[in-house]
Amino acid sequence: MTVVPAARGRRRVLAVLVAVSMTVLAACAGKSSASDGGQSFAVGIPAFFVQNLTPGSSGSSYVDYAIWSPLTRVDGQSGKLEMLVADSIESTDNVNWTIKLKPGWTFQDGSPVTAQSFADSWNATALGANALTSNASTSIFAGYAAMNPPKGKPAAKTLSGVHVVDKSTLEVTLVKPNALLPYILSSTTFAPLPASATKDLKNFGTHPIGNGPYKTSGWDTGAQDIKLERYDGYGGTKALASGIDLHVYQQTGAIYTDFQAGTIDLALLDGADLSKAKKDTPSQVVDVQYPAVVYLSFPLYDSRFANPQLRRAISMAIDRDAIVKSLLAGNAKAATGLAPPTLTGGGEAKCDACKYDPQQAKAALQAAGGWNGPMTLYTYQDPTNEKVLQAIANQLRTNLGIQKVSFESQPIAQLYQGLGGKSIKGPSLLYSGAPYPHIYALADQMFSAGAPLNVTGYDSKVFAGLIAQAASSKDADATTNYAKQAAEQALTDLPVAPLYWPVGGLVHSDRLSGVVPEVLGGARLSVVKVG
Amino acid sequence: MAGYVIRRLAGMVPVVLGTTLLIFAAVYALPGDPIKALAGPGRVLSPSVEEALRERFHLDQPLWAQYGHYLGGLVRGDLGIDLQGHEVSDLVVRAWPYTLQLGLTAWAIMAVAGLALGTFAGMRQGGTVDWIVLTATTVVVGVPYFVIAYVAQILLGVNLGWFPTSGVREGWPASYLLPAAVLALFGIPELVRLTRASIIENRYADYVDTAIAKGLPQRTIVVRHILRNSLVPVVSVLGLSLGYMLSGTVLIEGIFNIPGLGYVVFNGISQQNGPVVVGVCSLLVLVYLIINLLVDIVYGLLDPRISLAGRN
């Protein structure tokens, strides 16, 4: 049987196709990167940690703290405030502050960190046109309003309340007294910017030149491998490990799998992965208390929820311990007040309604005149939240006899839009994280009238008075006490019912030691030791 | 032939335009506000930043105006920027090679395994091998996809350590074999059954009896006569599944942490990032259309009786 020429031609076509596809595959096959041995370790992180490391867009993840060193730092374990780049931060009236810098701090390109570097950073964040996501945090400074008018062009390009006196002195004027300024300035949001950054802010987020213990040559969006190197000119206590390999994960599910396979040494886990890690290698898990609270937020603008007795009934009908134990596998603490104990002023507080007491809950419901019709509970799309919300719905049915309870989970943007527009007509399960570890931060952002995260419509003169006293106290203990009283006042009025304080865990390989939590969760990378 | 290809290519223009509009409208119709979502849970953007972003992305304008801006950019070769300020074209250029490697590797595995098993089962119809193949394909179809992926990852990656568990650090082929094999499983059952049915149909055809009577060797009969005639329906499935392999990688890329297009689309949808979703999806639509065209051309090569010119 002879082979017809046409068939040969076709075979050639197929051969060419195969060859082409193989070439394509070979051409785009990436080079494998061997990890260098010695004194570096690998950390698994979610992609959003490295989306944008510009201070004004910082999410204050523990990677931010490796690249940046702000004026002050709060220790993740003791909660104590220390001076970092600042030598002193002082004020006589809590409005006008004088900040003095320590000498010898430099950026990773060798340029000095001066008072101007901090002013540049805060001005860049405050300028709305730069669209840096933490813009709102600079509203404490005088002159913010002029830079961010409700409509039209800004009248000023810089903050009038931030004044550079000389290389190492800043004078800062606040909009209103705030004793917490040294705490606020511990966030990487307020880290300094080198002069070169202001020219190209767009690329700076992925090619940051910081003043922290580690430096990086930058990365492309979507990069899976980011190398950090110890910065030897660092102005504080130098980092222990010579380098860190950041392994970036688009979805966090693979992080613990890779840890088990031995490709990463350190990761922050929660939920089911954390429970597995606690079972597999209990001695290699370090607890991390997030500075946050998960709570049920009531729509006070809806007349059905205006009666505090009804809110009390709902709050006391929820068995927080059972939710923490069975649903969250112990990866949380049942809330006994507003803020977790790791926050200054947090922990136990006077909060009667935070207790589980079905009897009292029923009595409170009767005192409120009962509940008629259906009730919808809301949360944003998140598997844990959805489980918790389902449990709450069941407990309300069982303990209060409210039969028509349904729940709805929405995309986060949609839910916050609805809350802002007062169109959400039921309790919502929400999360609130403190930007700095002080009870004042949580109380202020959740309960102060006009605070962007106050979505309940709560507006109390008593609370406002106490929180203002906290902010204008001369002495740190008085500040904490007033802030605690303010939080307790809010929990008496009960616009929200605190449910639990989420807990995460750092899992690390046995070649690492010195793994301790960083202030807002995660690990303090500069003190991790290899070997 | 050339005229036919040009006509087909010209026909793609309205299709691509229509799909971009549809996808754009679908993203636009998603509930919620992408700018509010940008801040993340428990954080709020200040009004001035919201306004700046809305202006930058034309989100303050109606759908048709937004689409007009998008098309205007497209004509200039500009796919737009995502909400973080990255060029969409950069995102696609960076992610595309990963998806291409994963998809083509999976497709190659699928084609080889599917054709071999199908042919084998078809030639041994009713035998033990046939029975095993049929049962196995049924099981694979019945087990949810992500279950297979996770089990393979834990078993072969973590416990046995044969493959990297995730990421693309070790490059091609090491990093891609396991996810590609799992992805290939998605298409193998259909391919096996189709090949098998097609082989069985052609095995008893008159021309096969003729070939046997001529005393041709078994291999020649199977490959040149039976297989070639059985391939016509199989090729269309192979073509379509290549499109699948390139676009159906969202889940696999997530599980195996591969920074490809699937991840870009997933993020684009969750951030309601119109330009990103439209850019990537339009690209995938285009790939589909071109694969379809190639399939039609290959038909003609396999079976001279199928004429292309008459099929418009």
Side-chain angles (χ1 to χ4, degrees):
Chain A
M1 161 119 197
T2 53
V3 177
V4 280
R8 215 177 340 182
R10 276 196 293 281
R11 197 146 356 113
R12 226 189 348 252
V13 168
L14 281 176
V16 167
L17 276 178
V18 169
V20 165
S21 58
M22 282 299 163
T23 325
V24 168
L25 285 177
C28 43
K31 283 190 292 290
S32 65
S33 64
S35 64
D36 54 341
Q39 297 297 298
S40 69
F41 61 99
V43 186
I45 57 165
F48 68 85
F49 276 20
V50 289
Q51 208 158 44
N52 187 342
L53 259 62
T54 311
S57 277
S58 140
S60 294
S61 81
Y62 60 103
V63 174
D64 283 299
Y65 284 95
I67 304 285
W68 297 104
S69 285
L71 287 162
T72 57
R73 76 172 289 267
V74 177
D75 190 77
Q77 283 168 288
S78 66
K80 276 204 170 48
L81 181 81
E82 306 160 8
M83 292 293 140
L84 196 55
V85 179
D87 189 39
S88 64
I89 301 182
E90 282 164 352
S91 169
T92 51
D93 57 3
N94 287 340
V95 175
N96 297 290
W97 294 78
T98 305
I99 300 171
K100 292 228 182 285
L101 308 188
K102 286 181 191 138
W105 280 79
T106 53
F107 287 106
Q108 290 146 4
D109 60 359
S111 60
V113 175
T114 63
Q116 190 62 49
S117 322
F118 285 95
D120 285 348
S121 171
W122 303 345
N123 285 329
T125 308
L127 191 66
N130 285 338
L132 294 170
T133 48
S134 298
N135 168 281
S137 59
T138 53
S139 61
I140 53 169
F141 298 121
Y144 173 85
M147 288 178 75
N148 295 274
K151 273 275 166 284
K153 284 259 177 289
K157 284 264 192 255
T158 52
L159 291 160
S160 60
V162 178
H163 177 62
V164 178
V165 179
D166 59 39
K167 266 200 168 132
S168 60
T169 316
L170 267 170
E171 279 176 358
V172 172
T173 310
L174 302 183
V175 175
K176 57 178 199 231
N178 196 332
L180 278 303
L181 186 68
Y183 275 93
I184 293 171
L185 295 177
S186 72
S187 158
T188 52
T189 303
F190 296 94
L193 264 189
S196 59
T198 35
K199 289 191 205 74
D200 185 8
L201 263 180
K202 213 178 103 183
N203 287 314
F204 189 78
T206 49
H207 295 78
I209 298 162
N211 65 329
Y214 284 99
K215 60 180 181 183
T216 170
S217 54
W219 59 89
D220 287 336
T221 313
Q224 284 206 306
D225 255 323
I226 297 173
K227 294 230 183 299
L228 305 184
E229 263 178 83
R230 181 167 53 205
Y231 174 47
D232 289 319
Y234 182 57
T237 313
K238 288 187 187 34
L240 295 176
S242 67
I244 299 173
D245 290 338
L246 298 177
H247 290 205
V248 184
Y249 291 83
Q250 321 295 12
Q251 285 184 23
T252 49
I255 292 185
Y256 188 58
T257 317
D258 271 5
F259 176 80
Q260 288 172 298
T263 39
I264 52 179
D265 296 307
L266 177 68
L268 176 64
L269 304 175
D270 39 34
D273 285 339
L274 177 55
S275 306
K276 272 201 297 241
K278 280 181 175 163
K279 261 215 302 282
D280 297 343
T281 50
S283 63
Q284 296 171 21
V285 180
V286 177
D287 273 340
V288 176
Q289 173 73 64
Y290 293 113
V293 59
V294 174
Y295 59 99
L296 208 55
S297 163
F298 298 107
L300 305 192
Y301 46 79
D302 180 339
S303 58
R304 298 173 306 163
F305 291 94
N307 188 331
Q309 286 291 1
L310 172 79
R311 305 198 293 268
R312 208 181 144 80
I314 292 175
S315 179
M316 296 187 88
I318 299 170
D319 186 349
R320 293 164 175 75
D321 289 319
I323 288 174
V324 165
K325 220 165 85 183
S326 56
L327 283 185
L328 306 173
N331 297 325
K333 287 197 183 84
T336 50
L338 178 66
T342 44
L343 266 62
T344 307
E348 289 283 336
K350 283 202 283 279
C351 178
D352 295 343
C354 297
K355 291 188 194 67
Y356 172 56
D357 188 337
Q359 296 305 328
Q360 279 201 51
K362 276 199 193 71
L365 182 65
Q366 278 194 318
W371 174 268
N372 291 320
M375 183 189 294
T376 312
L377 309 176
Y378 294 87
T379 191
Y380 53 88
Q381 283 165 348
D382 172 277
T384 309
N385 278 11
E386 285 158 15
K387 271 195 309 198
V388 170
L389 205 59
Q390 190 167 5
I392 291 174
N394 287 334
Q395 290 176 357
L396 295 186
R397 272 185 214 113
T398 317
N399 296 330
L400 296 179
I402 301 173
Q403 286 314 317
K404 292 189 191 155
V405 184
S406 56
F407 54 92
E408 192 178 311
S409 127
Q410 301 183 344
I412 189 154
Q414 188 187 350
L415 183 69
Y416 273 94
Q417 203 178 4
L419 288 165
K422 299 192 177 359
S423 63
I424 299 287
K425 303 288 190 203
S428 312
L429 183 71
L430 303 175
Y431 169 102
S432 178
Y436 50 94
H438 196 291
I439 189 168
Y440 179 94
L442 273 183
D444 181 42
Q445 71 182 18
M446 287 167 67
F447 305 124
S448 284
L453 287 178
N454 178 355
V455 291
T456 56
Y458 179 66
D459 183 358
S460 149
K461 292 262 184 304
V462 184
F463 172 85
L466 287 164
I467 209 85
Q469 264 183 301
S472 53
S473 291
K474 298 278 187 294
D475 146 85
D477 289 343
T479 296
T480 306
N481 277 331
Y482 280 124
K484 266 174 85 165
Q485 285 175 37
E488 281 168 6
Q489 176 61 45
L491 293 187
T492 311
D493 301 337
L494 217 62
V496 311
L499 298 177
Y500 59 89
W501 298 315
V503 173
L506 286 162
V507 62
H508 62 87
S509 65
D510 47 15
R511 49 190 287 262
L512 299 189
S513 58
V515 176
V516 295
E518 185 55 272
V519 56
L520 300 179
R524 194 178 165 200
L525 294 173
S526 62
V527 297
V528 174
K529 217 172 129 190
V530 186
Chain B
M1 181 74 184
Y4 168 73
V5 172
I6 288 165
R7 269 198 303 280
R8 283 282 300 260
L9 288 173
M12 287 182 192
V13 177
V15 176
V16 171
L17 271 185
T19 43
T20 52
L21 179 58
L22 271 178
I23 299 165
F24 205 92
V27 175
Y28 181 87
L30 282 173
D33 178 346
I35 298 294
K36 285 217 176 355
L38 195 61
R43 293 177 68 199
V44 174
L45 292 176
S46 60
S48 61
V49 168
E50 275 198 26
E51 198 187 359
L53 286 168
R54 263 181 233 292
E55 226 165 277
R56 188 179 301 175
F57 297 105
H58 313 296
L59 288 170
D60 46 358
Q61 297 174 358
L63 169 66
W64 57 266
Q66 285 187 40
Y67 185 66
H69 280 292
Y70 181 75
L71 275 191
L74 211 54
V75 170
R76 290 194 310 272
D78 172 10
L79 289 172
I81 44 178
D82 80 348
L83 295 176
Q84 272 78 33
H86 309 301
E87 298 278 339
V88 174
S89 49
D90 282 355
L91 293 177
V92 171
V93 166
R94 234 194 313 270
W96 179 235
Y98 298 114
T99 298
L100 201 62
Q101 287 176 85
L102 178 64
L104 287 179
T105 313
W107 189 70
I109 294 174
M110 183 192 97
V112 172
L115 285 176
L117 288 173
T119 310
F120 214 81
M123 295 307 292
R124 306 255 190 300
Q125 190 193 353
T128 322
V129 175
D130 187 29
W131 185 84
I132 291 173
V133 167
L134 286 179
T135 316
T137 49
T138 312
V139 170
V140 168
V141 169
V143 177
Y145 202 39
F146 59 92
V147 173
I148 297 179
Y150 282 123
V151 168
Q153 192 180 35
I154 300 279
L155 206 68
L156 304 174
V158 177
N159 296 352
L160 294 172
W162 293 352
F163 301 98
T165 42
S166 85
V168 290
R169 253 168 227 91
E170 308 197 10
W172 195 84
S175 285
Y176 291 90
L177 281 178
L178 188 60
V182 176
L183 189 56
L185 277 181
F186 197 45
I188 285 178
E190 189 190 6
L191 186 63
V192 166
R193 298 201 157 217
L194 190 72
T195 312
R196 177 181 172 274
S198 206
I199 292 267
I200 289 170
E201 195 181 326
N202 285 317
R203 252 178 77 188
Y204 304 110
D206 292 344
Y207 62 85
V208 178
D209 290 342
T210 312
I212 295 172
K214 279 198 296 194
L216 290 176
Q218 171 82 2
R219 208 175 134 257
T220 314
I221 295 171
V222 173
V223 174
R224 190 150 319 145
H225 293 265
I226 301 179
L227 200 56
R228 185 177 158 190
N229 283 297
S230 309
L231 276 185
V232 176
V234 172
V235 162
S236 65
V237 168
L238 272 177
L240 285 178
S241 60
L242 176 59
Y244 247 146
M245 298 281 147
L246 291 175
S247 61
T249 54
V250 178
L251 196 68
I252 288 293
E253 284 182 0
I255 293 173
F256 289 97
N257 193 32
I258 291 171
L261 284 182
Y263 166 69
V264 175
V265 173
F266 177 83
N267 255 5
I269 292 172
S270 60
Q271 296 166 350
Q272 299 181 32
N273 206 323
V276 172
V277 182
V278 177
V280 178
C281 290
S282 311
L283 183 73
L284 289 173
V285 168
L286 204 60
V287 168
Y288 249 108
L289 292 171
I290 287 171
I291 289 173
N292 259 332
L293 176 59
L294 287 177
V295 167
D296 284 350
I297 292 171
V298 173
Y299 270 163
L301 296 180
L302 281 169
D303 186 347
R305 288 170 305 180
I306 299 176
S307 104
L308 293 173
R311 292 177 60 228
N312 300 321

